[in-house]
Amino acid sequence: MKTLLKLLIILSFMAGGPALALQSDAETTPHVTARLIADQTAITPGGKINVALHLKIIPGWHTYWQNPGDSGLPTEIEWGLPQGTQVSQIQWPAPKVIEEAGNLTIFGYHDDVYLISSLAIPESYTASSVPIETKVNWLVCEEICIPENVSLKMNIPVQQDPLASSFEETFKLVRQQIPTPVDWRASFYEDGTTLNLLIERPLDLEPISDKPQYFYPITEELVNYSPSQTKGTTPDGIKLTQQKSDYFNNNTKDFTIVVKEGNSFYELTASKKRNNTIVLTTPSTASSPVSVPNLPLGQALLFAFIGGLILNLMPCVFPILSIKILSYCNKAGKQTRHIREEGLVFTAGVIVSFLVIAGLLIALRSGGEALGWGFQLQSPGFVSALIYILFFLGLSLSGLVMFGTSLMGIGSHLTQKKGHAGAFFTGVLATIVATPCTAPFMGPAMGYALTQPAAISTLVFAVLGLGMAFPYLLLTWFPHLLKYLPKPGAWMDVFKQFMAFPIYLTVVWLLWVLNQQVDSFGLGLVLLGLVLIAFASWIASITKKRK
């Protein structure tokens, strides 16, 4: 009897035991763990299999949907597959509405996200497995954004009659979040600054979030995402309204959106309507659309100014501007006119730099990019250049190389012309190294600026620069305040050398950022460049001593 019972247990386990898992090894970055999983244990010749990229994101951080909203970049998968293998586009689950500081509205994912693609092989495929190689790139953000990437590999066996893998239930749950394409009749028209979407179907849409949010636009640059959406009814269905984007293309013939009805998501295309006579018959109780994000211009400018002031205390900026204060200590007792001129030139350097950043953001947004403050850090070339500049500056502060002190406005031997040039480029450098940092009050101001016309955006950035330069402008315009600074002395040189170490720590942080963007070879080249800078500085110091 016991033998029979054991036999029955073994047979039941063989018949209904746990399914096999088909997955890649996991690769982990500082913020995300990534792997590939499949919904079957194998693929048949002429058949297909669903493969999902699983990203497990650390708490508080997020990645982006195919349309990131006000800022961000979608996750990208580069596939390396055998010849004849076909792969579909990513099937994106509906995103979450993520509210960032400053009325920025983005579409993305927290915690876990599964991005499904379908792979198919021809009937003539004869190999015993399908090797998959992928390179995955994503942007993960909290208060700052870090580009990261991994390489993932997986072998899919080729067999007849494959079984469902242990991830089958996961795929079922994910598919419930993937919008279903539908052919509902939908149209749109423009009404001044408003975009109106008409869906000829008796939908009962509930807000997707508390904002409220009724639809996600897949097509970018259609609407300003921050102003509230509204819903009403028409004789044939519903009308959804939101403020039109400043970058809306008037030649747009159709666009694609995702809507939610009940627990299901649907994807539909709206075509441009010729007749704009349909009117709203039953107003929604939701708040009416606003013409600008919920922040008055005066308040945005005040927040920009205060944010600029606080930016001076951020670890990115403080070491450099501390040296600027030291130079003011040295100038106590000099001509008031010269001190004021240098303060104005320094302020001009900061404001001009902020205006250049504003111009780049506006130009890139006009070209369809969705970028925000600190977007430069998404470029490995920019990060590498900043690493070299700060490392060289650190060597200068440490006294290991004397070239470049005019940049910081240090030394009584400089002529007035050089001093002005040094003051200007100190402002430029301070702004460049400020871009990785975000100070309190900056978020609302930046969010406001990035959703406004070019003139207002430029004004907000200029006021932000003025706030950053204001303490130093105040010191130079009222030279009697310099008497409250410490008297010049040997302590200044010691303090200058000490402030090199925060600079070196910033270089280490930037190297960490660069490591998320490039492979080990690229990182090695940048590190080799640092060694060459140190070597050249050593040669220069020996040459100078011999003279």
Side-chain angles (χ1 to χ4, degrees), residues 99 151 505:
E99 297 280 352
S151 295
L505 289 175

Side-chain angles (χ1 to χ4, degrees), residues 105 256 451:
T105 297
T256 309
T451 58

Side-chain angles (χ1 to χ4, degrees), residues 279-507:
V279 295
L280 190 65
T281 58
T282 308
S284 169
T285 57
S287 58
S288 299
V290 293
S291 60
V292 296
N294 224 354
L295 192 67
L297 175 59
Q299 187 176 350
L301 295 178
L302 177 63
F303 282 0
F305 185 81
I306 296 174
L309 284 173
I310 300 176
L311 199 58
N312 290 296
L313 302 177
M314 295 294 105
C316 308
V317 186
F318 181 71
I320 291 178
L321 295 183
S322 296
I323 308 305
K324 190 64 189 172
I325 293 178
L326 284 180
S327 72
Y328 289 162
C329 292
N330 243 345
K331 289 177 173 59
K334 291 189 176 182
Q335 290 184 358
T336 300
R337 182 179 63 84
H338 173 65
I339 295 174
R340 287 179 176 177
E341 287 176 357
E342 186 163 333
L344 290 171
V345 171
F346 170 78
T347 302
V350 173
I351 293 178
V352 167
S353 301
F354 272 91
L355 292 179
V356 169
I357 293 174
L360 287 172
L361 281 171
I362 292 169
L364 290 171
R365 284 182 64 85
S366 298
E369 299 288 341
L371 301 172
W373 175 253
F375 71 96
Q376 303 94 323
L377 290 185
Q378 298 175 18
S379 166
F382 178 86
V383 174
S384 300
L386 192 53
I387 287 170
Y388 290 144
I389 291 172
L390 292 182
F391 183 66
F392 194 85
L393 177 60
L395 294 177
S396 176
L397 296 179
S398 296
L400 300 177
V401 56
M402 298 307 297
F403 178 79
T405 53
S406 62
L407 184 66
M408 303 309 300
I410 300 173
S412 58
H413 65 283
L414 297 175
T415 66
Q416 180 173 324
K417 181 178 179 180
K418 289 183 179 177
H420 285 173
F424 183 86
F425 286 106
T426 301
V428 174
L429 181 60
T431 305
I432 291 174
V433 300
T435 55
C437 289
T438 302
F441 293 94
M442 270 187 64
M446 290 297 94
Y448 179 87
L450 294 175
T451 58
Q452 298 304 302
I456 295 179
S457 298
T458 302
L459 177 61
V460 173
F461 273 86
V463 173
L464 179 62
L466 178 63
M468 181 172 163
F470 185 74
Y472 311 95
L473 182 63
L474 192 67
L475 281 176
T476 57
W477 204 251
F478 298 97
H480 65 276
L481 295 175
L482 294 174
K483 68 182 181 180
Y484 296 106
L485 295 177
K487 299 295 182 182
W491 69 270
M492 294 175 60
D493 191 56
V494 175
F495 183 76
K496 174 172 73 75
Q497 293 177 16
F498 173 77
M499 293 310 295
F501 291 96
I503 294 289
Y504 293 140
L505 289 175
T506 304
V507 169

Side-chain angles (χ1 to χ4, degrees), residues 188-196 219-224 242-255 272 365-366:
F188 73 92
Y189 68 91
E190 306 162 49
D191 182 12
T193 61
T194 302
L195 188 68
N196 304 280
T219 306
E220 297 186 38
E221 305 297 357
L222 289 175
V223 295
N224 285 337
Q242 193 168 23
Q243 185 189 64
K244 187 171 66 173
S245 170
D246 297 331
Y247 306 98
F248 183 86
N249 185 348
N250 292 323
N251 294 322
T252 299
K253 296 291 190 294
D254 55 55
F255 59 74
K272 191 165 188 176
R365 284 182 64 85
S366 298

Side-chain angles (χ1 to χ4, degrees), residues 8-18:
L8 289 174
I9 293 174
I10 293 172
L11 290 174
S12 64
F13 178 80
M14 293 176 62

